[in-house]
Amino acid sequence: MPKPWLTSLEVSTPQEGYELAVLMARVAVKMTQPSDDIRRKLRTVYEQDADSLIASSSVVATHFATVAAANNYWKESQC
Amino acid sequence: MPKPWLTSLEVSTPQEGYELAVLMARVAVKMTQPSDDIRRKLRTVYEQDADSLIASSSVVATHFATVAAANNYWKESQC
Amino acid sequence: MPKPWLTSLEVSTPQEGYELAVLMARVAVKMTQPSDDIRRKLRTVYEQDADSLIASSSVVATHFATVAAANNYWKESQC
Amino acid sequence: MPKPWLTSLEVSTPQEGYELAVLMARVAVKMTQPSDDIRRKLRTVYEQDADSLIASSSVVATHFATVAAANNYWKESQC
Amino acid sequence: MPKPWLTSLEVSTPQEGYELAVLMARVAVKMTQPSDDIRRKLRTVYEQDADSLIASSSVVATHFATVAAANNYWKESQC
Amino acid sequence: MPKPWLTSLEVSTPQEGYELAVLMARVAVKMTQPSDDIRRKLRTVYEQDADSLIASSSVVATHFATVAAANNYWKESQC
């Protein structure tokens, strides 16, 4: 991934926050398996496996919670 | 999914928040497996698999926690 | 499920909150597998599978955390 | 389980909070599999399965987080 | 485990907090499988299983989040 | 790992926080399986297993949430 790839958690919209969460979920995979070739091969398998897809959606959900909190849920301050 | 599909986390009721959480759980799957055909095939399998159903319920629970916080749990401000 | 089925996260006691969390965990399953017959069949399997039971307990735990926060942990305001 | 079994999340010590979290993790299992006999049989299997033991520890961890927050981490109020 | 084994969540450093989280993850396993012999046997298996190791790391992460919050992240009050 | 290896959760940027989360996820594995040789062997397997990679990404996500909160999401204080 580009370096630096994560300079801020602040994004303009929930959807951009969601896309950032997807990126954050993938970077950890890249850090453990840096080979683009191997990841591409793994992808052809897990993108056809419902349980793998659900598991990666779960990682996105955890990161999205963090990004949303960092952006005060994209609303006026609560205090 | 429509683009933009996630413009705000604020919804009127907990039930709408729950439905948004279900959508948020599914979008990550769509982003990893964009083919409607393949997802439809996967669905015929995992919708008959208790463990897959429980796992997807878990992703919904994580997103619901975020949506609920974003809506101050649909109650008067705590501040 | 009744519609509306989730009008508020506020309940009187932790135990009612726990029961609400159990309901919230099950609704996502119902939304993915609407057939009562199929869910009944799946149930006969997973209710005999320790790992499935633990996994569903985990979903309840995540929802309970949200319900508990929504009810300020059933205690006087902290602020 | 006794009924009512969860009247408050407030306990005197972290250890009591941990024991409450263990109870909370087990009650969801009981609610899905009410038969003491079947649960006893399942137990003889999963108590010998490292992955099941780790998975149940994970549910305890999620409930403990809630109980700890409900007790303000057993320290003076932060407000 | 010693009794009492968890008298406070307050520790001096993040590293001590991490070690406490590891203990908290293990105690739930001990409570479900009290036999030191059986746990020792299970350990020889799961300590060679990457997925079990990752799963136990996940439980540590959940407990660490609680311990860190209890210690205000080991920094001056945020308010 | 170096001892002490975790003296503070405060880091300058989200990316450093992410790298800290990766370290925190790995240390628990090291504490359970201290042998560098065995971990190296396990790694050759799980780095080729999509589900293991997703599972380790999930642990990173949980730790990152803690590190991000500890750093007030790298933004001005909310208070």
Side-chain angles (χ1 to χ4, degrees), chain A residues 13-16 18-19 22 26 43 46-51 53-58 60-62 64-66 68-69 73-76 78-79, chain B residues 3-10 24-29 31-33 38 42 46 49 51-52 55-56 59 62-63 66 69-72 77 79:
Chain A
T13 67
Q15 186 161 334
E16 284 176 49
Y18 193 93
E19 283 152 12
V22 170
R26 291 179 179 173
R43 188 182 177 76
Y46 90 80
E47 75 186 0
Q48 310 250 4
D49 179 321
D51 293 331
L53 291 168
I54 294 165
S56 41
S57 182
S58 177
V60 171
T62 302
F64 183 74
T66 305
Y73 304 100
W74 295 279
K75 60 182 177 176
E76 300 323 310
Q78 294 174 72
C79 295
Chain B
K3 190 162 189 346
W5 66 276
L6 187 60
T7 55
S8 171
L9 297 178
E10 297 189 55
M24 292 166 78
R26 291 178 178 174
V27 167
V29 171
M31 287 170 76
T32 309
Q33 178 44 270
I38 296 177
L42 293 176
Y46 91 79
D49 179 321
D51 293 330
S52 304
S56 41
V59 185
T62 303
H63 279 306
T66 305
N71 288 277
N72 227 352
S77 161
C79 299

Side-chain angles (χ1 to χ4, degrees), chain C residues 7 12 42 66:
Chain C
T7 55
S12 311
L42 293 177
T66 305

Side-chain angles (χ1 to χ4, degrees), chain E residues 57-72:
Chain E
S57 182
S58 177
V59 185
V60 171
T62 302
H63 279 306
F64 183 74
T66 306
V67 172
N71 287 277
N72 225 354

Side-chain angles (χ1 to χ4, degrees), chain B:
Chain B
M1 52 273 180
K3 190 162 189 346
W5 66 276
L6 187 60
T7 55
S8 171
L9 297 178
E10 297 189 55
V11 293
S12 311
T13 67
Q15 186 161 335
E16 283 177 49
Y18 193 93
E19 283 153 11
L20 178 57
V22 171
L23 174 65
M24 292 166 78
R26 291 178 178 174
V27 167
V29 171
K30 260 188 194 157
M31 287 170 76
T32 309
Q33 178 44 270
S35 157
D36 291 343
D37 277 358
I38 296 177
R39 285 203 317 281
R40 216 180 338 264
K41 279 175 212 138
L42 293 176
R43 189 182 176 77
T44 59
V45 180
Y46 91 79
E47 75 186 0
Q48 310 249 4
D49 179 321
D51 293 330
S52 304
L53 291 168
I54 294 164
S56 41
S57 182
S58 177
V59 185
V60 171
T62 303
H63 279 306
F64 183 75
T66 305
V67 173
N71 288 277
N72 227 352
Y73 304 100
W74 295 278
K75 61 182 176 177
E76 299 323 312
S77 161
Q78 295 174 74
C79 299

Side-chain angles (χ1 to χ4, degrees), chain E residues 19-78:
Chain E
E19 284 153 13
L20 178 57
V22 170
L23 173 64
M24 292 166 78
R26 291 179 178 173
V27 167
V29 172
K30 261 190 193 157
M31 286 170 75
T32 308
Q33 179 44 271
S35 156
D36 290 343
D37 277 358
I38 296 177
R39 285 203 317 280
R40 217 182 337 264
K41 278 175 212 139
L42 292 176
R43 188 182 177 76
T44 60
V45 180
Y46 91 79
E47 75 187 359
Q48 310 251 4
D49 179 321
D51 293 331
S52 304
L53 291 167
I54 294 164
S56 41
S57 182
S58 177
V59 185
V60 171
T62 302
H63 279 306
F64 183 74
T66 306
V67 172
N71 287 277
N72 225 354
Y73 304 100
W74 296 277
K75 60 182 178 177
E76 300 322 312
S77 160
Q78 293 172 73

Side-chain angles (χ1 to χ4, degrees), chain D:
Chain D
M1 52 270 180
K3 191 160 186 351
W5 66 276
L6 186 61
T7 54
S8 171
L9 297 179
E10 297 189 56
V11 294
S12 311
T13 67
Q15 186 161 333
E16 284 176 50
Y18 193 93
E19 283 152 13
L20 178 57
V22 171
L23 173 64
M24 292 166 78
R26 291 178 178 173
V27 167
V29 172
K30 259 189 195 158
M31 287 170 75
T32 308
Q33 179 44 270
S35 158
D36 291 343
D37 277 358
I38 296 177
R39 286 203 317 281
R40 219 183 334 266
K41 279 175 211 138
L42 293 176
R43 188 182 177 77
T44 59
V45 180
Y46 91 79
E47 75 187 0
Q48 310 250 2
D49 179 321
D51 292 332
S52 305
L53 291 167
I54 294 164
S56 41
S57 182
S58 177
V59 185
V60 171
T62 302
H63 279 305
F64 184 74
T66 305
V67 173
N71 288 277
N72 226 351
Y73 305 101
W74 296 277
K75 61 183 178 176
E76 299 323 310
S77 160
Q78 294 172 75
C79 301

